[in-house]
Amino acid sequence: GCYWGVQSLFDKVPGVVETTAGTSDGAETVQLTFDPEVVSYDSLLKLFFASHDPSPFRATGDKAHPSGKYRCQIFALDSTQRADALRVKALVDGDVATPIVDARAFDPAPDAEQHFYRRRKGRPPEKVSLADLAALPVKLED
């Protein structure tokens, strides 16, 4: 989905130190910096899968263009992240088409595009437990 929703969600996760909205390979993306002593990569992956529709339609982002800018995918920084993402993906029920690809060049969005929801509310997000975030009824694309 749009990087504003993804960024807003992950800004609320305890242990996520920084989020940066931007683009990679033509897709809107969010780069995460996190403290693995507070939150694991597996937990972040599980939240990502719980927060979006991993179906074939959403994986491409657009029926006419399989490289749509709103496609859902995971950019793995190394072979360990790739293996972890594939393992967590295998745990998800249903037709999961979210691709796991090698990280590509990341271009941060302009400052005016960063933390849209935080700026709109005028305050930093409150941190919320991963279980509560994963239980949200509204998916990122809604």
Side-chain angles (χ1 to χ4, degrees):
C2 172
Y3 52 46
W4 288 338
V6 176
Q7 185 174 45
S8 179
L9 174 70
F10 283 95
D11 275 343
K12 296 174 184 160
V13 176
V16 171
V17 178
E18 183 179 1
T19 63
T20 305
T23 57
S24 185
D25 194 33
E28 289 196 3
T29 59
V30 176
Q31 185 178 65
L32 303 178
T33 303
F34 65 97
D35 181 347
E37 297 291 321
V38 179
V39 63
S40 69
Y41 184 59
D42 274 19
S43 294
L44 295 171
L45 289 165
K46 289 174 184 174
L47 177 60
F48 178 72
F49 280 110
S51 67
H52 80 282
D53 174 1
S55 70
F57 172 74
R58 258 310 178 203
T60 60
D62 184 327
K63 287 182 182 178
H65 296 97
S67 60
K69 75 176 189 173
Y70 297 125
R71 65 190 184 271
C72 294
Q73 59 191 59
I74 295 169
F75 291 96
L77 294 177
D78 56 33
S79 60
T80 301
Q81 281 191 351
R82 175 182 277 284
D84 289 346
L86 288 168
R87 182 178 40 74
V88 171
K89 178 180 174 178
L91 300 174
V92 179
D93 290 334
D95 189 9
V96 180
T98 304
I100 291 103
V101 299
D102 291 334
R104 298 182 174 110
F106 176 78
D107 295 312
D111 287 345
E113 293 284 308
Q114 300 294 334
H115 304 285
F116 175 78
Y117 294 116
R118 180 189 305 179
R119 286 185 296 106
R120 193 172 79 181
K121 291 182 179 182
R123 64 183 188 278
E126 293 181 31
K127 297 294 184 175
V128 180
S129 76
L130 282 169
D132 289 345
L133 289 170
L136 292 173
V138 178
K139 301 300 182 192
L140 294 174
E141 291 80 27
D142 291 343

